[in-house]
């Protein structure tokens, strides 16, 4: 007997629909808490790519942004991949237009092209291997030292990896507006107010922010660090959505979002694109099975090669 949908909450309706349609919901840490709560898996870009590659669901609902859903579609051409809001884009992906990037690649045919996952399917198709913030150092180190590298699109992550590996790379001039929004002056003032705190940061942040951090890593890495660190107070320099899962994992910790230049209601840095997805949009897209993501077969065949190289190296 089917449940009475009139008395069900939106979250309960989504859970029922998932079961009925053999659907899986993959959500990024930057999604709103109520979406994270109904998701089958919440993770960073690497974890989400791995889950997308191994799922046996018929429908993948990607609660994230456009490039993430595209990656899932590249890995699952015969599955229906849905995105609650098609306008949920990415400032970093937008900073690397495929035509301009193609010109750079063509001008440096001897270079290995390593592209951060935060890019369009067309840019992935121009790449030799994809990376995420979790595995970028490992992937750069996997390239022979005598082979020159193009690293795109995030210049901040690229500079950080250059420093970690000692490899000089040709960097694309792209950045994430969320991670460039942190105020060093406000951060230092906040630290003065909380001298017993530990600053942790995402490598998409600018160098002067990273220099203040005790730990630098991916969203999953930051959560793991907080779980294992004996300190109980952290200033967290990444998109504020991560605080929900982090607090669940370490309930006793005091978590303070790193402050942004602009004064806003949360005194933090939030991704407007990530926050475009809502529980209602998630329900509607699962109910109507739209909007769905399409990637041309020509682009998909080229883009899947560097993605699979990344997944193989990340095992």
């Amino acid at each position: 007997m089917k449940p009475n949908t009139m008395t069900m909450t939106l979250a309960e309706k989504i859970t029922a629909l998932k079961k009925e349609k053999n659907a899986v919901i993959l959500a990024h840490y930057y999604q709103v808490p109520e979406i994270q709560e109904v998701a089958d898996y919440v993770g960073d870009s690497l974890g989400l790519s791995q889950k997308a590659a191994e799922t046996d669901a018929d429908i993948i609902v990607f609660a994230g942004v456009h490039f993430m859903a595209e990656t899932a579609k590249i890995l699952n051409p015969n599955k229906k991949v849905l995105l609650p809001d098609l306008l949920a884009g990415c400032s970093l992906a937008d900073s690397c237009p495929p035509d301009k990037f193609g010109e750079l690649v063509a001008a440096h045919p001897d270079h290995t092209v390593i592209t951060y996952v935060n890019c369009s399917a067309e840019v992935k198709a121009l790449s030799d291997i994809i990376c995420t913030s979790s595995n970028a150092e490992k992937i750069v180190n996997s390239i022979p030292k005598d082979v020159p590298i193009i690293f795109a699109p995030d210049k901040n992550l690229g500079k950080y990896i250059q420093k970690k590996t000692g490899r000089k790379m040709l960097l694309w001039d792209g950045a994430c507006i969320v991670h460039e929004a942190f105020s060093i002056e406000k951060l230092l003032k906040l630290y003065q107010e909380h001298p017993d705190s530990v600053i942790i940061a995402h490598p998409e942040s600018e160098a002067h922010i990273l220099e203040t951090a005790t730990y630098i890593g991916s969203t999953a890495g930051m959560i793991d660090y907080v779980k294992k660190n004996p300190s109980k107070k952290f200033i967290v320099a990444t998109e504020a959505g991560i605080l929900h899962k982090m607090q669940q994992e370490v309930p006793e910790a005091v978590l303070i979002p790193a402050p942004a230049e602009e004064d806003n209601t949360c005194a933090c840095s939030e991704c407007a694109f990530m926050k475009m997805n809502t529980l209602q949009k998630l329900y509607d897209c699962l109910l109507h099975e739209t909007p769905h993501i399409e990637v041309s077969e020509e682009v998909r065949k080229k883009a899947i090669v560097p993605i699979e190289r990344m997944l193989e190296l990340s095992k």
Side-chain angles (χ1 to χ4, degrees):
M1 193 170 102
K2 280 195 172 184
N4 181 3
T5 55
M6 296 294 288
T7 60
M8 294 169 71
T9 65
L10 206 50
E12 288 169 340
K13 289 179 183 178
I14 290 168
T15 301
L17 269 180
K18 273 196 307 183
K19 189 174 180 183
E20 180 187 322
K21 295 180 180 244
N22 187 29
V24 64
I25 297 175
L26 306 179
H28 194 274
Y29 288 125
Y30 298 162
Q31 291 293 287
V32 294
E34 52 266 34
I35 286 181
Q36 294 189 41
E37 290 301 312
V38 298
D40 297 285
Y41 176 79
V42 181
D44 63 359
S45 294
L46 176 59
L48 290 166
S49 296
Q50 289 168 328
K51 289 294 177 184
E54 66 189 35
T55 185
D56 57 1
D58 296 317
I59 297 173
I60 300 171
V61 183
F62 219 112
V65 292
H66 198 271
F67 78 81
M68 296 177 177
E70 271 189 336
T71 303
K73 184 64 178 179
I74 290 164
L75 289 163
N76 296 277
N78 299 319
K79 296 183 189 293
K80 193 170 279 190
V81 178
L82 310 176
L83 184 67
D85 192 322
L86 273 184
L87 296 178
C90 170
S91 60
L92 180 53
D94 290 345
S95 73
C96 189
D99 56 341
K100 297 293 183 188
F101 186 61
E103 290 171 11
L104 178 72
V105 171
H108 298 85
D110 57 331
H111 284 54
T112 289
V113 182
I114 302 177
T115 309
Y116 189 34
V117 71
N118 300 40
C119 64
S120 67
E122 290 79 10
V123 167
K124 287 181 176 72
L126 293 164
S127 309
D128 294 304
I129 188 164
I130 304 302
C131 74
T132 71
S133 52
S134 295
N135 60 22
E137 184 180 351
K138 181 179 183 180
I139 282 172
V140 168
N141 280 332
S142 76
I143 307 301
K145 284 190 165 48
D146 60 340
V147 176
I149 294 170
I150 290 173
F151 189 92
D154 193 288
K155 62 183 178 184
N156 293 324
L157 177 61
K159 287 173 186 173
Y160 173 70
I161 297 300
Q162 280 189 146
K163 190 175 176 182
K164 291 281 285 183
T165 62
R167 295 289 292 269
K168 182 157 178 58
M169 302 185 290
L170 180 57
L171 303 181
W172 182 264
D173 188 21
C176 164
I177 57 171
V178 174
H179 288 96
E180 289 212 314
F182 295 118
S183 164
I184 187 66
E185 292 80 12
K186 288 182 181 179
L187 177 59
L188 294 174
K189 184 173 182 295
L190 186 64
Y191 184 67
Q192 284 180 339
E193 294 167 5
H194 301 276
D196 56 336
S197 64
V198 175
I199 299 173
I200 61 175
H202 193 282
E204 285 182 38
S205 305
E206 292 177 292
H208 56 261
I209 298 292
L210 298 182
E211 284 166 10
T212 70
T214 300
Y215 174 80
I216 300 165
S218 68
T219 45
M222 292 168 86
I223 290 173
D224 193 50
Y225 180 82
V226 169
K227 284 168 69 176
K228 293 176 180 175
N229 195 284
S231 175
K232 290 302 167 214
K233 186 184 286 188
F234 301 87
I235 297 173
V236 184
T238 191
E239 209 274 357
I242 195 176
L243 298 177
H244 178 69
K245 179 60 73 175
M246 198 175 271
Q247 197 75 75
Q248 283 183 330
E249 295 286 347
V250 193
E252 69 278 14
V254 176
L255 305 174
I256 308 167
E261 290 280 2
E262 186 182 340
D263 292 320
N264 55 35
T265 53
C266 72
C268 64
S269 191
E270 287 192 323
C271 176
F273 290 120
M274 283 283 187
K275 300 304 192 264
M276 289 178 79
N277 296 320
T278 65
L279 204 60
Q280 184 65 54
K281 288 178 184 176
L282 181 60
Y283 170 72
D284 290 341
C285 98
L286 187 51
L287 178 66
H288 302 296
E289 298 182 18
T290 187
H292 52 85
I293 300 295
E294 294 297 343
V295 177
S296 76
E297 190 60 11
E298 180 187 2
V299 168
R300 192 195 75 79
K301 280 182 176 177
K302 290 177 182 174
I304 197 167
V305 175
I307 294 171
E308 287 184 335
R309 283 177 183 153
M310 173 190 76
L311 292 173
E312 186 60 34
L313 270 172
S314 300
K315 283 181 178 175

